[in-house]
């Protein structure tokens, strides 16, 4: 096991709990390349520049060299049955689908959508915390996970009575992103395929219904799509809904869980947040820098040879942009390994940058702010039962599989 | 003599005066405090209110989406400053280091920062300009008054000048469902800033939105009725347009009149300064204690042949103010150059327009991504074989890449393919600026460094 290349060590599960020393090594060279295939970049300024480089594609078809450095590609799979979602498309298709999706979601057409959900999000958070009992809880199972799925349901306009079915499908699909070591792969794939089909049929039915009688939920508006960008095909609505479902909550789960873990490791910050919930805003920004839920973007490919700081990255080669390494680059952030919610100049890469920058960013931020503030306020004397906690297998969407907390109770 | 001791004293108990209490003035003041200046700080502004933001005045405010009173600039920190609002500076005595105010008062300084910006160029005939219904748009009151008039439902609005502000006004009128005529001397809207190729796209945007666009004409007279209200507008092609609101959008005049006779190098083109924001006197000698920033400043930029650029750009005002503030209280070796790459945005007819560099220096233009007819594209401007500027329509997220090309003086036309290659009109073609007064070409200079502290320029051999 000593012969692992740096990139293999980064994806190796045994380093999942703390990849940051490896990222520091990655930053030693502007472009890292070894026999494993991918070219990896970890310096803040280069990562940022490459995220804006129009010679770099997000589509699979430009890859001519396979990515042999383990499972970097996982994380955005909708199973090959649906057309690629806009995360895996270049302009102009990307722009068209993202614009139609954005119309009911954000400014300029829907400036109040996210903020308008604040009350509802608060209620969901309160209900979930109310339901916490016992003196030891797994925060992931009881809180971080159910919260964003419920939010996606409300956003898409899934009828309340169907929410639990929806949660079931989501569980199954998400589990495929995160295979347990030693789990039976064929069985897992089979049930994921089954869930995909059932979810697809369910959403299809709902889309048909909403085409006839649209509401003001996102699914209706994606289905009807009456902007200048035109309308999505049914398959496109499905793949977009699947993207919102997967990307819109895998990341939030990890953001909240990483957040609570970080707070418990910095009790003075937890104490400040308990006393003043306004700290949640800068705190979540610093979290996105310090422990970003998406650690790297492994799916980029140059469409032509490009020269980056003296290295030529050949056309068709896998390119990894390691945003979590950029976020800790001492050339950009003073004392980068320190968690400091009072940091002023914080333009992190935790939500990406450029045209693929996180679509759900405003929602993810609000979810994490509300969740962490409420947890800080209401959990009595929370302690980590296990540090580090067990992590998920996924190196791209990195976060604890479980976060066991001992608590003295829940404040009412 | 101990220079450092003097600087220490300046930082501790010196007197800094800022004339012009708007965007650049506020950001400079905040930077001074951030960097540890504890002396006395005075901000002099002729407007009665505190600093507010101008870009929304021709956009959200005219649409009735935000009120002009609610455009106050966010404060980044406590200032502990003397605010002398509603009092214009009327003179400067450089030898005695004193600013004279309209109310007769005088304020002494150890360091002075001038950020008096520009004002709207008024309609040249005072009697016509005074007609009821004739507007300019620069300040908060202008915008509030114009918005009230638009809300009252005029039968037709006529906008004179189709630059960025004029186009934004026309766009807001159409969005409100008002009939609007735009009269432009050039061959197309935005042609002065972005050239004829982009001007054609802008023309189409006006027409599609239902603007009555008249190009290559000038307005010869504004005609009023007996009650002194504007009624119609005469054009140089002999036609007349009935309009009950006229917005004069003919660019800006620098607010330097108050400096007449002061000996400072100030005139109609602004106040010339060096890259460190220190003002020149009329003899071309740099001053040590007078600094300038924002719309009123005119500074040499090494990337653009050391041309003195005056930029009416929000981002420039902020950045230059911060550099000026830093330099005012720093020793010579610690001063920073203002090497900002010009950047500008506008939003009109539902399209977000952004530019970097100096497009107007470009002889040629080339679309690199997207589609002109789809109004989602990026185009770069070439000047003597290098990339000098770029513009995006609804494609702004790509701009940092092009800014980098400009800083590195990358070759034009760019020799690489991009994904989303242009649908139509690929390849370079004349940019179509009305008057190609191409400045002489200096040595090739590149800008590097990410933070203001490590930004530098380097001369590089010309490309073969
Ligand atoms: C309607 C409008 C829309 C705009 N939209 C955009 C946009 O979309 N994008 C963009 O990049 N830029 C835009 N701008 C430009 C941007 O607002 C300016 O670049 C910016 O305001 C410049 O700041 P400044 O502080 O240098 O000057 P100003 O904001 O002009 O401030 C100068 C201040 O000094 C005061 N003053 C003048 N003379 C005196 C005196 N003798 N004594 C005391 N005070 C004095 C003035 O009254 C004023 O308050 C827009 C401007 C306007 C007017």
């Amino acid at each position: 096991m000593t012969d692992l290349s740096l990139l293999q060590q980064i994806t190796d599960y045994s380093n999942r709990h703390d990849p940051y020393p490896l990222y520091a090594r990655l930053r030693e060279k502007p472009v890292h390349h070894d026999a494993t295939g991918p070219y990896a970049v970890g310096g803040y300024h280069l990562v940022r520049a490459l995220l804006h480089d129009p010679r770099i594609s997000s589509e699979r078809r430009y890859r001519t060299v396979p990515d042999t450095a383990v499972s970097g590609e996982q994380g955005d799979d909708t199973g090959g049955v649906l057309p690629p979602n806009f995360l895996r498309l270049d302009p102009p298709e990307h722009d068209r689908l993202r614009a139609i999706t954005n119309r009911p979601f954000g400014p300029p057409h829907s400036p109040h959508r996210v903020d308008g959900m604040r009350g509802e999000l608060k209620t969901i958070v309160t209900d979930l915390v109310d339901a916490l009992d016992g003196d030891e809880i797994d925060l992931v199972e009881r809180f971080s996970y159910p919260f964003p799925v419920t939010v996606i349901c409300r956003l898409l306009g899934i009828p309340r009575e169907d929410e639990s079915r929806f949660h079931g499908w989501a569980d199954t699909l998400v589990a495929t992103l995160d295979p347990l070591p030693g789990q039976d792969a064929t069985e897992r794939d089979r049930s994921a395929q089954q869930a995909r089909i059932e979810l697809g049929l369910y959403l299809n039915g709902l889309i048909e219904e909403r085409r006839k009688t649209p509401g003001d939920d996102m699914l209706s508006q994606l289905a009807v799509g009456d902007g200048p960008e035109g309308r999505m095909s049914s398959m496109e609505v499905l793949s977009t809904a699947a993207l919102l479902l997967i990307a819109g909550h895998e990341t939030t789960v990890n953001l909240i869980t990483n957040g609570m873990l970080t707070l418990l490791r910095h009790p003075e910050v937890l104490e400040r947040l308990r006393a003043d919930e306004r700290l949640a805003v800068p705190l979540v920004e610093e979290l996105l820098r310090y422990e970003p839920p998406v650690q790297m973007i492994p799916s980029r490919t140059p469409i032509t040879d490009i020269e980056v700081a003296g290295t030529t990255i050949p056309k068709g080669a896998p390119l990894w942009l390691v945003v979590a390494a950029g976020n800790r680059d001492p050339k950009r952030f003073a004392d980068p390994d320190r968690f400091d919610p009072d940091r002023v100049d914080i333009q992190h890469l935790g939500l990406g940058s450029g045209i693929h920058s996180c679509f759900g960013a405003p929602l993810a931020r609000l979810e994490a702010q509300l969740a962490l503030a409420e947890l800080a306020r209401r959990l009595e004397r929370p302690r980590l039962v296990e540090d580090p906690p067990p992590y998920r297998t996924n190196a791209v969407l990195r976060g604890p599989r479980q976060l066991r907390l001992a608590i003295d109770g829940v404040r009412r | 003599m101990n220079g450092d001791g003097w600087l220490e004293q300046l930082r501790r108990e010196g007197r800094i005066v800022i004339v012009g209490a708007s965007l650049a003035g506020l950001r400079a003041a905040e930077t001074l405090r951030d960097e540890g200046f504890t002396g006395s700080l005075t901000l002099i502004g002729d407007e009665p209110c505190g600093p507010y933001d101008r870009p929304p005045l021709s956009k959200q405010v005219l649409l009735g989406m935000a009120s002009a009173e609610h455009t106050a600039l966010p404060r980044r920190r406590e200032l502990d400053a003397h605010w002398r609002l509603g009092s214009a500076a009327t003179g400067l005595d450089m030898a005695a280091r004193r600013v004279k105010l309209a109310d007769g008062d005088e304020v002494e300084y150890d360091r002075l920062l001038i950020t008096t910006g520009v004002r709207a160029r008024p309609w040249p005939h005072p009697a016509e300009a005074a007609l009821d219904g004739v507007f300019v748009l620069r300040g908060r009151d202008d915008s509030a008054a114009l918005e009230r008039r638009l809300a009252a439902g005029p039968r037709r609005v006529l906008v004179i000048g189709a630059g960025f502000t004029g186009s934004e006004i026309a766009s807001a009128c159409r969005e409100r469902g008002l009939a609007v005529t735009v009269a432009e001397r050039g061959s197309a809207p935005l042609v002065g800033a972005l050239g004829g190729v982009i001007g054609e796209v802008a023309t189409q945007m006006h027409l599609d939105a239902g603007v009555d666009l008249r190009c290559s004409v000038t307005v010869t007279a504004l005609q009023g009725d007996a009650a002194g209200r504007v009624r119609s507008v005469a054009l140089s092609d002999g036609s007349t347009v009935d309009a009950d609101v006229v917005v004069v959008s003919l660019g800006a005049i620098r607010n330097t009149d108050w400096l007449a006779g002061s000996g400072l190098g100030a005139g109609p083109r602004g106040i010339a300064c060096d890259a460190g924001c220190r003002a020149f006197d009329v003899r071309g000698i740099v001053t040590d204690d007078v600094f300038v920033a924002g719309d009123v400043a005119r500074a040499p930029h090494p990337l653009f042949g050391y041309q003195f650029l005056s930029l009416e750009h929000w981002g420039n005002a902020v950045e230059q103010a911060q550099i000026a503030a830093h330099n005012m209280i720093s020793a010579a070796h610690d001063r920073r150059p203002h090497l900002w790459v010009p950047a500008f945005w506008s939003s009109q007819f539902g399209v977000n327009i952004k530019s970097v560099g100096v497009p107007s220096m470009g002889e040629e233009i080339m679309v690199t991504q997207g589609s002109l007819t789809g109004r989602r594209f990026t185009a770069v401007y070439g000047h003597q074989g290098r990339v000098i500027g770029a513009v995006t329509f609804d494609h702004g997220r790509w701009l940092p890449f092009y800014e980098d090309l400009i800083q590195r003086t990358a070759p034009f036309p760019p020799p690489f393919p991009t994904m989303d290659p242009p649908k139509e009109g690929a390849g370079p073609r004349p940019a179509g600026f009305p008057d190609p007064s191409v400045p002489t070409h200096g040595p090739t200079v590149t800008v590097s460094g990410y933070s203001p502290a490590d930004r530098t320029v380097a001369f590089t051999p010309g490309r073969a």
Side-chain angles (χ1 to χ4, degrees):
Chain A
M1 287 303 274
T2 48
D3 285 351
L4 289 184
S5 74
L6 181 57
L7 296 187
Q8 281 166 336
Q9 289 180 62
I10 287 174
T11 52
D12 188 66
Y13 183 68
S14 61
N15 293 315
R16 190 74 70 250
H17 65 285
D18 186 14
Y20 295 102
L22 297 169
Y23 293 157
R25 280 178 49 207
L26 182 68
R27 285 190 307 260
E28 282 167 12
K29 275 187 280 173
V31 178
H32 182 92
H33 180 57
D34 55 37
T36 55
Y39 287 74
V41 176
Y44 177 92
H45 294 290
L46 282 182
V47 170
R48 194 171 178 285
L50 292 169
L51 286 171
H52 293 272
D53 194 319
R55 299 167 299 176
I56 295 172
S57 169
S58 297
E59 299 193 4
R60 271 177 229 274
R61 63 193 168 107
Y62 290 105
R63 276 276 164 96
T64 54
V65 180
D67 190 340
T68 52
V70 277
S71 59
E73 280 271 21
Q74 50 189 245
D76 59 294
D77 235 311
T78 43
V81 284
L82 293 172
N85 59 57
F86 61 72
L87 198 60
R88 295 307 308 263
L89 285 172
D90 293 337
E93 277 303 280
H94 163 275
D95 295 357
R96 181 177 72 85
L97 294 177
R98 183 161 165 146
I100 299 175
T101 315
N102 193 56
R103 196 164 262 276
F105 183 71
H109 305 288
S110 311
H112 304 298
R113 161 79 73 184
V114 170
D115 210 53
M117 290 183 77
R118 187 180 281 269
E120 194 167 3
L121 298 187
K122 265 201 163 126
T123 314
I124 302 171
V125 167
T126 312
D127 290 350
L128 286 169
V129 176
D130 283 346
L132 296 177
D133 51 14
D135 42 35
E136 194 186 299
I137 54 167
D138 172 11
L139 190 79
V140 177
E141 185 196 335
R142 307 281 302 275
F143 184 88
S144 322
Y145 186 72
F147 176 40
V149 191
T150 309
V151 174
I152 297 282
C153 285
R154 304 287 163 86
L155 187 69
L156 289 178
I158 307 294
R160 296 287 159 97
E161 63 272 19
D162 295 340
E163 278 187 15
S164 60
R165 287 166 74 200
F166 195 86
H167 276 244
W169 292 317
D171 287 354
T172 315
L173 286 183
V174 163
T176 59
L177 296 181
D178 229 14
L180 277 170
Q183 201 185 33
D184 178 357
T186 20
E187 173 53 25
R188 193 191 60 228
D189 290 348
R190 203 197 54 77
S191 54
Q193 186 62 14
Q194 182 68 22
R196 224 173 263 130
I197 292 169
E198 284 176 27
L199 177 66
L201 286 173
Y202 171 78
L203 285 175
N204 229 345
L206 210 55
I207 291 164
E208 284 310 307
E209 237 168 75
R210 298 299 156 78
R211 282 224 162 111
K212 282 179 220 132
T213 39
D216 70 347
D217 55 272
M218 277 195 60
L219 206 54
S220 294
Q221 304 195 26
L222 295 185
V224 178
D226 54 358
E229 304 87 4
R231 192 192 261 204
M232 286 185 189
S233 71
S234 293
M235 289 302 261
E236 286 169 342
V237 179
L238 278 181
S239 68
T240 306
L243 172 66
L244 296 181
L245 169 67
I246 302 285
H249 89 257
E250 260 317 270
T251 48
T252 317
V253 176
N254 292 340
L255 182 57
I256 294 171
T257 314
N258 287 335
M260 204 55 202
L261 176 62
T262 305
L263 285 173
L264 290 166
R265 286 171 176 170
H266 297 83
E268 68 297 344
V269 183
L270 180 63
E271 210 36 62
R272 280 177 63 193
L273 177 62
R274 188 199 309 280
D276 181 2
E277 63 178 1
R278 285 173 306 176
L279 185 66
V281 174
L283 174 101
V284 166
E285 267 348 271
E286 173 68 347
L287 259 180
L288 284 163
R289 183 192 72 81
Y290 184 77
E291 287 276 23
V294 178
Q295 297 263 302
M296 64 184 100
I297 301 170
S299 47
R300 299 287 164 100
T301 313
I303 64 167
T304 177
D305 290 359
I306 61 172
E307 203 228 88
V308 176
T311 302
T312 300
I313 305 179
K315 171 179 175 173
L319 173 59
W320 292 10
L321 304 177
V322 187
V323 293
N327 279 353
R328 301 253 192 140
D329 185 346
K331 290 202 188 102
R332 177 61 183 82
F333 297 104
D335 207 356
D337 291 322
R338 206 166 81 86
F339 178 67
D340 175 10
D342 300 320
R343 217 173 260 283
V344 270
D345 165 35
I346 173 172
Q347 290 191 11
H348 57 74
L349 301 169
L351 297 168
S353 190
I355 62 164
H356 292 285
S357 71
C358 177
F359 176 83
L363 184 59
R365 286 187 160 109
L366 187 60
E367 286 176 294
Q369 289 160 8
L370 293 174
L372 293 174
E374 183 79 356
L375 290 170
R377 194 169 64 83
R378 296 194 51 203
L379 297 186
E380 294 206 44
R381 234 167 53 82
R383 282 102 57 205
L384 281 175
V385 173
E386 217 181 347
D387 191 6
Y391 271 79
R392 311 175 149 218
T393 44
N394 198 310
V396 175
L397 306 169
R398 172 177 167 268
R401 170 189 301 286
Q402 263 185 358
L403 193 70
R404 288 196 289 142
L405 305 182
I407 52 173
D408 286 358
V410 174
R411 279 186 202 94
R412 298 288 147 187
Chain B
M1 190 186 130
N2 186 340
D4 281 354
W6 185 85
L7 190 65
E8 262 321 298
Q9 197 181 347
L10 172 77
R11 296 172 64 96
R12 211 171 45 244
E13 56 200 42
R15 298 159 303 176
I16 294 187
V17 172
I18 299 176
V19 181
S22 185
L23 178 62
L26 175 65
R27 294 292 175 244
E30 288 168 338
T31 306
L32 286 168
R33 291 300 190 211
D34 275 347
E35 297 202 3
F37 173 69
T38 52
S40 93
L41 185 56
T42 306
L43 283 106
I44 298 168
D46 60 358
E47 295 186 271
C49 53
Y52 58 87
D53 209 19
R54 294 177 202 277
L57 299 181
S58 53
K59 306 175 184 82
Q60 292 89 336
V61 173
L62 288 192
L63 287 171
M65 281 163 45
S67 93
E69 285 71 41
H70 288 103
T71 52
L73 279 166
R75 302 293 179 93
R76 293 184 180 164
R77 54 165 298 137
E78 292 287 315
L79 270 188
D80 184 24
H82 309 287
W83 291 88
R84 312 224 20 181
L85 299 178
S87 58
T90 52
L92 171 65
D93 183 339
M94 289 211 289
R97 293 187 169 166
R98 265 191 218 139
V99 176
K100 295 175 200 150
L101 300 191
D103 59 14
D105 233 355
E106 298 199 347
V107 190
E108 291 186 57
Y109 63 82
D110 299 306
R111 290 271 191 271
L112 171 67
L113 176 64
I114 301 175
T115 60
T116 45
V118 302
R119 63 181 179 275
R121 183 182 302 282
W123 184 244
H125 310 285
E128 293 178 15
L131 289 171
D132 180 42
V134 176
F135 293 86
V136 293
L137 181 51
R138 178 77 198 170
R140 196 156 102 162
D141 299 345
D142 300 332
S143 177
L146 178 56
E147 198 280 326
R148 272 196 301 280
R149 201 57 76 91
L150 298 185
R155 275 171 304 141
R156 179 169 293 275
V157 178
L158 186 130
V159 180
I160 311 177
F164 282 106
T165 308
S167 298
E168 287 175 7
I169 295 166
S171 163
C173 290
R174 287 307 300 145
E175 213 167 309
R176 298 184 76 134
L178 299 170
V180 56
T181 299
V182 171
E184 162 63 42
R185 181 204 300 265
S187 59
L190 310 184
V191 72
L194 298 175
V197 174
I198 302 302
E200 257 177 59
V201 180
T203 299
Q204 214 48 53
M205 279 164 42
H206 281 248
L207 298 180
D208 288 357
V211 173
D212 169 33
L213 178 66
R214 317 276 186 102
C215 289
S216 309
V217 296
T218 54
V219 170
T220 51
L222 310 182
Q223 291 144 353
D225 62 14
R229 282 186 299 248
V230 72
R231 276 287 164 246
S232 65
V233 171
L235 300 178
S236 56
D237 61 6
S239 61
T240 310
V241 178
D242 288 339
D244 33 17
V245 172
V246 172
V247 192
V248 180
S249 191
L250 290 172
I253 299 176
R254 305 215 169 236
N255 289 320
T256 53
D257 332 21
W258 66 284
L259 294 163
S262 66
L264 203 65
R269 296 171 68 194
I271 305 170
C273 62
D274 72 0
C277 310
R278 295 179 299 180
F280 288 123
D281 70 14
V282 284
R283 303 164 303 169
I285 298 177
V286 79
T287 57
D288 277 329
D289 47 6
V290 183
F291 291 72
V292 290
D295 284 7
V296 76
R298 215 158 65 83
H301 202 308
L303 263 189
F304 307 100
Y306 290 97
Q307 251 197 104
F308 277 74
L309 298 178
S310 36
L311 302 168
E312 292 173 38
H313 298 174
W314 192 96
N316 180 65
V318 172
E319 174 108 355
Q320 199 171 20
Q322 290 167 347
I323 298 278
H326 170 87
N327 290 346
M328 287 172 90
I329 53 169
S330 296
H333 63 84
D334 192 29
R335 289 190 191 129
R336 296 174 186 160
H338 175 55
L339 293 175
W340 194 69
V341 178
F344 180 84
W345 86 95
S346 167
S347 81
Q348 44 186 280
F349 304 106
V351 175
N352 178 277
I353 301 176
K354 289 187 174 184
S355 83
V356 282
V358 186
S360 60
M361 280 176 78
E363 301 107 33
E364 287 184 296
I365 189 172
M366 179 173 139
V367 181
T368 54
Q369 290 173 258
S371 150
L372 284 182
T373 50
R375 287 172 208 157
R376 290 180 81 84
F377 64 87
T378 305
V380 295
Y381 293 83
H383 169 69
Q384 308 204 343
R386 55 180 271 212
V387 176
I388 200 94
V391 63
T392 60
F393 276 44
D394 276 347
H395 247 223
R397 289 180 196 254
W398 294 111
L399 223 46
F401 174 78
Y402 292 93
E403 179 177 339
D404 191 51
L405 293 186
I406 296 166
Q407 298 197 145
R408 290 189 290 109
T409 70
F412 181 93
F416 48 78
T418 59
M419 55 165 167
D420 191 18
K423 294 278 158 304
E424 67 280 299
R429 57 183 138 156
F433 283 100
D435 172 23
S437 58
V438 179
T440 55
H441 188 52
T444 301
V445 172
T446 55
V447 169
S448 63
Y450 291 107
S451 78
D454 59 30
R455 293 220 105 184
T456 50
V457 294
F459 290 88
T460 56
R463 253 174 228 97

